[in-house]
Amino acid sequence: PRAKRPVATLFARGGRGHDQPRFLPGGDELLVVRQEPLGDGASVPDLFVWNWRRKSLRRVTRGAALRNPDPAPDGRSAAAVRCRGGVCDLVRVDLASGEVATLLAGTLQTVFYRPRWAPDGRSLVLAIQEEGRWRLGRVDAATGERRWIDPDDEASRYDAAFLPGGRALVAVSELGGVANLERIDLETGAARPLTRLTGAAAAPEPSPATGHVFYLSLHATGFDLNRVHPDSVALARVEALSPVLAPAAPRPRVPADTLARAPLPPVREYGIGPRRQRLLPWGYHGADGGAFGLLLLSTDPVGRLAWTLRGSYGGDAQPRGGAAAAVWRGWRTAVAGEAFWVRHEPSREDGLLDDLALGPLDGDYAGAALMADRGWTTSFLRQRARAGVSLGALELAEGGSGDRRLAFVEYAATASTTVGARSLAAQAGVHGALGSTHGDGWRRGVATGSLAVRLGWLNARGAVTYGRTGAGAPPWERFQVGGSDGGLVDPSVLSQRIEMPAIPFGHLQGTEILALRASTTVRGLVPYFWAARAGEDADWFRVAGVETSVEMGANTLLRLPGVRLRLGAARVLDEPFEDELEVYASVTYRP
């Protein structure tokens, strides 16, 4: 066969490809289908019109759940199948306005598939599944009246299309046990085989120009594109495969009741669902030591309610303690709560500089937090909003004891687009918090942003974090950069702590922080350059390193949490840790 040469290419958008293309009259435009998110985690197929000459793409429907579209001969509308809640209807779509009208309503026992217009635009042919097999029906486009047009010989038939002139059909027939093409005369109802394959024939499409029927031929190495002229072959009737070849050959249908009948159990609420527990290890190691612990997770198959118990123990300078947390996803907005106790004494780390003011950060922190979380997704934008409050008791080694109160709100959005091997993704987020610690009020804001670009195998990502706390904030509420996330307290409750495992906790401190990071990805490894400073007049502190990570989302059906594994090595470029090589690793979970 001749080498393929693309005339025009419609690339995926946001990782979602375009399927089921159908030419509109004129040949300059195609009707295509693409999965589109609804905003609640689900997605449905919608219709688009692609003009391959002008390289433009126009959206026709929104949230319509349409598939198998076929443009009408006038090009102003299309027939399609709309499937919702397990029921599929035959519908007609206005390609200008996107309005959808029902032509034929489906039921739980009747399913429609792959409609095709007659050349005169007055009727359609489609596959209809009833009583365990597929048959071909013709539907009047004006009244919705339908009638059977294929032989009633117990064989399934589907993938029908009108031959030029509209007086006959070509379809896939399973008569004899192997899917082959048939020509069906609409006046006499006579069916004549067009192919005799041992694999299978699929998706026949007649050419109006030559009359040939193009189809896919299945064999051991995949599909070939073949063609046959409906008037150029004269095959004998297909012989049925011997029943001894079962299950490769179909057995004759025999009415039978093989399942015992019993009344359905009463309907009951799902509630919190059946529970299952998992005990998992977690921990981290960085420039100032490490910690390890255990996490007990309990969840249900759909993830409506998950709760965790976790505890950690580490070196003298590492956070130690325990936490209990739960998240309820039974509503559109998830609600989470946690209670925790943490002892952290960073000044006990060996080898730190004497003038590094970590003593005021030593102490015990016990408290609770309540949070609300809402996420939604559109075609090219993922958004998330969170809000929460926290109340706790903070006992500092050098600052007495008292309560800590705070409230926070945060918002993050990610926009991305992908065209073939090229992609662009931008992220922006803001976090605002206000509270009081030992009676001293404070306010804090943190903004983050990133931009990632990919051109084939070349890729780059830049990220920036900027935070500011009021000048009167106590030392414990000022920014502290370095160390690893202790994993016991929600990061939004301790938003003054900026993680950087290659340097010790609190090496950079201040009421203002600016951190920059540039990275790329090469065969799963992420080389990066990181720099930060605490205040406009402060010197930059720089780190160069490489890391790799594996991140998997939660699988509630298997009762597994989301997990992130990270391993990295970095060299510090500035005093007092100049030329030191630090290796860090972590295993973290989220329910």
Side-chain angles (χ1 to χ4, degrees):
R2 293 177 295 177
K4 294 185 293 184
R5 183 178 63 86
V7 176
T9 303
L10 178 59
F11 292 103
R13 304 292 175 89
R16 301 183 303 276
H18 303 84
D19 304 313
Q20 305 169 27
R22 298 288 294 163
F23 275 104
L24 274 76
D28 292 341
E29 294 181 321
L30 288 92
L31 189 61
V32 295
V33 176
R34 188 174 78 201
Q35 289 288 135
E36 287 296 296
L38 295 177
D40 58 358
S43 63
V44 296
D46 270 313
L47 302 189
F48 294 76
V49 172
W50 176 43
N51 189 306
W52 64 270
R53 291 191 184 275
R54 295 200 302 262
K55 297 180 174 58
S56 63
L57 187 67
R58 176 176 64 88
R59 187 168 183 173
V60 177
T61 63
R62 295 183 180 273
L66 302 177
R67 61 198 71 197
N68 309 135
D70 187 51
D74 61 8
R76 294 195 295 265
S77 64
V81 175
R82 178 182 61 195
C83 293
R84 286 177 173 168
V87 176
C88 295
D89 303 325
L90 176 65
V91 299
R92 186 169 188 166
V93 185
D94 187 298
L95 296 182
S97 66
E99 294 182 2
V100 180
T102 301
L103 288 177
L104 202 60
T107 68
L108 291 175
Q109 292 76 33
T110 303
V111 181
F112 304 127
Y113 171 68
R114 199 177 182 261
R116 290 293 184 262
W117 285 94
D120 60 8
R122 298 179 180 177
S123 63
L124 302 106
V125 63
L126 74 162
I128 305 174
Q129 187 186 57
E130 284 185 346
E131 299 180 354
R133 71 183 177 110
W134 289 96
R135 296 196 63 184
L136 302 181
R138 191 169 187 174
V139 178
D140 188 288
T143 65
E145 180 184 357
R146 74 169 196 182
R147 60 184 179 87
W148 300 119
I149 56 175
D150 61 337
D152 188 9
D153 53 9
E154 299 297 318
S156 285
R157 290 179 173 86
Y158 44 87
D159 282 5
F162 282 94
L163 290 171
R167 302 176 61 182
L169 300 174
V170 60
V172 174
S173 169
E174 294 186 359
L175 184 67
V178 176
N180 274 283
L181 299 189
E182 273 187 352
R183 183 186 188 278
I184 301 175
D185 190 286
L186 293 177
E187 294 183 1
T188 65
R192 179 169 61 85
L194 294 180
T195 62
R196 186 178 293 165
L197 306 177
T198 57
E205 286 295 341
S207 168
T210 66
H212 286 90
V213 176
F214 291 88
Y215 66 97
L216 299 177
S217 174
L218 176 66
H219 53 82
T221 58
F223 281 104
D224 285 337
L225 177 62
N226 293 349
R227 73 174 184 176
V228 62
H229 198 286
D231 298 327
S232 64
V233 293
L235 299 178
R237 186 170 184 81
V238 176
E239 296 295 333
L241 297 178
S242 172
V244 300
L245 299 177
R251 294 187 176 96
R253 295 199 308 161
V254 177
D257 188 1
T258 58
L259 300 176
R261 300 190 179 213
L264 293 174
V267 176
R268 61 183 178 88
E269 293 289 337
Y270 182 83
I272 63 173
R275 315 300 300 173
R276 183 175 295 178
Q277 286 71 44
R278 288 280 190 271
L279 186 63
L280 301 166
W282 68 281
Y284 60 89
H285 176 80
D288 53 0
F292 67 92
L294 293 175
L295 176 141
L296 178 64
L297 167 73
S298 174
T299 187
D300 58 282
V302 301
R304 174 173 287 186
L305 173 66
W307 59 258
T308 61
L309 296 174
R310 69 175 69 198
S312 73
Y313 181 82
D316 293 339
Q318 296 302 309
R320 305 184 298 277
V327 57
W328 170 259
R329 300 187 180 93
W331 304 316
R332 181 74 180 273
T333 299
V335 178
E338 66 178 22
F340 50 83
W341 173 81
V342 181
R343 170 169 290 174
H344 191 197
E345 299 172 300
S347 67
R348 300 181 63 180
E349 174 63 26
D350 294 336
L352 291 180
L353 299 178
D354 294 337
D355 61 351
L356 193 58
L358 295 179
L361 305 181
D362 291 349
D364 292 354
Y365 181 31
L370 182 65
M371 294 153 284
D373 191 330
R374 175 76 176 267
W376 61 101
T377 304
T378 57
S379 293
F380 302 103
L381 190 66
R382 296 195 306 272
Q383 302 176 79
R384 183 187 184 194
R386 297 184 80 219
V389 295
S390 178
L391 176 63
L394 179 62
E395 182 177 351
L396 297 176
E398 299 182 7
S401 61
D403 61 9
R404 181 178 188 255
R405 306 177 182 182
L406 69 91
F408 72 88
V409 293
E410 57 190 29
Y411 170 81
T414 301
S416 61
T417 181
T418 301
V419 180
R422 298 170 294 172
S423 66
L424 178 68
Q427 181 272 335
V430 291
H431 167 95
L434 58 86
S436 65
T437 302
H438 294 184
D440 296 329
W442 52 267
R443 295 184 179 182
R444 178 165 51 246
V446 181
T448 60
S450 68
L451 182 66
V453 179
R454 179 172 61 91
L455 300 173
W457 60 272
L458 295 174
N459 64 90
R461 184 177 188 271
V464 58
T465 299
Y466 176 77
R468 190 178 183 89
T469 299
W476 206 81
E477 298 297 347
R478 299 178 183 180
F479 289 104
Q480 303 113 32
V481 181
S484 300
D485 179 12
L488 296 175
V489 184
D490 189 281
S492 298
V493 177
L494 296 176
S495 59
Q496 73 270 35
R497 300 190 172 183
I498 308 298
E499 183 184 32
M500 180 53 193
I503 62 176
F505 172 83
H507 179 67
L508 298 178
Q509 299 182 47
T511 59
E512 185 179 11
I513 187 70
L514 176 63
L516 307 175
R517 175 179 164 122
S519 63
T520 186
T521 301
V522 182
R523 296 185 180 274
L525 297 177
V526 182
Y528 67 87
F529 175 81
W530 178 91
R533 68 181 184 184
E536 293 183 1
D537 300 328
D539 294 331
W540 287 96
F541 191 79
R542 301 166 301 162
V543 174
V546 60
E547 67 179 24
T548 184
S549 63
V550 177
E551 189 166 359
M552 296 176 289
N555 189 319
T556 56
L557 187 61
L558 299 178
R559 273 70 164 203
L560 293 175
V563 59
R564 186 190 184 199
L565 311 176
R566 182 168 67 166
L567 176 64
R571 183 175 293 276
V572 181
L573 304 180
D574 294 295
E575 296 181 351
F577 310 111
E578 187 175 6
D579 293 332
E580 291 188 10
L581 181 66
E582 299 292 347
V583 177
Y584 55 91
S586 64
V587 180
T588 56
Y589 304 99
R590 60 176 180 84

